[in-house]
Amino acid sequence: MKPIFGILAIIAFSTALAVAGNQGSVVFSGLPLFIICSSVGFILHWLAFIPAFAYQTEHYFDLIGSTSYIGTVILTVALHPGMDTRGLIISVMIAVWAVRLGSFLFSRVKKAGKDRRFNEIKTRFFRYMFTWTLGGAWVFITMAAGLAAMTSTTQQAVGIPFFIGTALWVLGFGLEVVADSQKTSFRRQPENAEKFITTGLWQYSRHPNYFGEIILWLGIAVMAAPVLVGWQLVTLVSPVFVFLLLTKVSGIPMLEKSGLERWGSDPKYQRYISITSPLVPLPRK
């Protein structure tokens, strides 16, 4: 029953956020564009769940996520009667991030043959459906602030918050790309197949890629904030959602558990986790 209640809770929260972000949205064919575009991620994830469960595969989960971001951006730009510079740049940033991350994750899972996170989940219908529903919510809630800015009827010249947000996005994107690249290079060496990485950015953080992810979405929110009004401001929950999702739900907790199962008895791993920051890159203790 828990997965069912979880699905209902996700839908309820997402609906409330969609209604809030709906204020001040441009209209297309009588409907707020924000509402129209907020449904893309859910529709694609629910459609993909059907063959994913039938064939017991998780290979396309991350690819569907990225496709949802890109599809939402394309639909927003296509239906918007006159998107401003802020909206266009935010849309490009989201698309660039989605293409990079989606292709990286899809390539990784295809090479590995499976994603260990889904070993048990994919065999249980409602638990797996909950995961795919969460994937749809991940797309919508993560980009809610950016989507609200892209669809907002309020337009103004870019200013200091825009440039601060851009700098944060560039920093976060750079950290994520470098961290993923370092880990991929490490894993590519046959002798490192069953080892954990402690070099590069990974010597300062156990999850530097997740830190980059949080920072870049914070940047999007900062860029979006100046044109959000009234209930639209609720969409600024986006970076908070990313932070909570990665640190409390499907990111760090799952990987830390997996790490302990694989290397928990290794004194070197015990020392690594004791002296290395779990998220924010910091000098070792």
Side-chain angles (χ1 to χ4, degrees):
M1 293 296 291
K2 287 183 178 180
I4 297 176
F5 285 125
I7 292 170
L8 294 175
I10 290 172
I11 294 174
F13 180 81
S14 299
T15 300
L17 185 61
V19 171
N22 172 53
Q23 182 182 30
S25 170
V26 298
V27 176
F28 178 81
S29 295
L31 290 174
L33 186 56
F34 184 87
I35 289 286
I36 296 172
C37 296
S38 66
S39 65
V40 173
F42 286 101
I43 292 172
L44 291 180
H45 276 78
W46 283 331
L47 288 174
F49 163 72
I50 299 172
F53 181 76
Y55 292 99
Q56 289 291 285
T57 179
E58 72 281 7
H59 285 193
Y60 303 97
F61 183 79
D62 293 313
L63 187 62
I64 292 298
S66 296
T67 301
S68 297
Y69 281 103
I70 296 168
T72 301
V73 167
I74 292 175
L75 185 65
T76 306
V77 174
L79 300 184
H80 200 292
M83 189 176 293
D84 64 356
T85 300
R86 184 190 311 273
L88 288 172
I89 292 178
I90 288 176
S91 66
V92 169
M93 286 178 166
I94 293 175
V96 167
W97 168 83
V99 169
R100 203 291 306 183
L101 185 63
S103 59
F104 168 76
L105 294 176
F106 180 67
S107 174
R108 187 179 67 179
V109 74
K110 292 299 286 186
K111 288 179 181 178
K114 64 178 182 178
D115 188 330
R116 281 190 291 267
R117 296 175 301 171
F118 295 88
N119 284 349
E120 178 186 356
I121 296 173
K122 65 184 179 183
T123 63
R124 301 163 63 183
F125 182 86
F126 287 110
R127 181 73 185 278
Y128 204 29
M129 185 179 183
F130 168 80
T131 302
W132 283 86
T133 302
L134 184 60
W138 167 58
V139 172
F140 167 52
I141 302 174
T142 298
M143 69 181 299
L147 183 61
M150 291 160 60
T151 59
S152 179
T153 55
T154 302
Q155 297 186 355
Q156 61 175 255
V158 298
I160 293 177
F162 178 86
F163 295 112
I164 292 175
T166 300
L168 287 171
W169 185 89
V170 171
L171 173 63
F173 185 75
L175 286 171
E176 186 173 69
V177 170
V178 171
D180 285 341
S181 177
Q182 290 174 341
K183 194 169 189 178
T184 298
S185 297
F186 177 82
R187 293 287 187 213
R188 194 174 290 129
Q189 305 302 317
E191 63 271 21
N192 295 330
E194 296 301 322
K195 295 181 180 180
F196 54 91
I197 183 172
T198 61
T199 56
L201 291 173
W202 301 84
Q203 66 182 306
Y204 304 110
S205 168
R206 303 202 297 271
H207 305 280
N209 53 336
Y210 287 163
F211 179 71
E213 178 97 341
I214 293 167
I215 292 299
L216 74 85
W217 285 110
L218 176 61
I220 293 290
V222 172
M223 295 171 70
V227 295
L228 304 184
V229 296
W231 284 104
Q232 279 183 319
L233 291 168
V234 175
T235 62
L236 293 176
V237 72
S238 291
V240 178
F241 170 78
V242 174
F243 174 79
L244 293 176
L245 184 67
L246 293 180
T247 61
K248 304 297 182 181
V249 184
S250 66
I252 292 178
M254 295 180 71
L255 290 179
E256 294 279 284
K257 180 182 178 182
S258 175
L260 288 173
E261 291 174 350
R262 299 175 69 186
W263 306 297
S265 60
D266 186 340
K268 292 183 179 179
Y269 184 72
Q270 293 174 5
R271 174 168 171 74
Y272 174 67
I273 63 177
S274 69
I275 66 174
T276 309
S277 168
L279 182 65
V280 181
L282 295 170
R284 288 183 168 181
K285 298 178 183 178

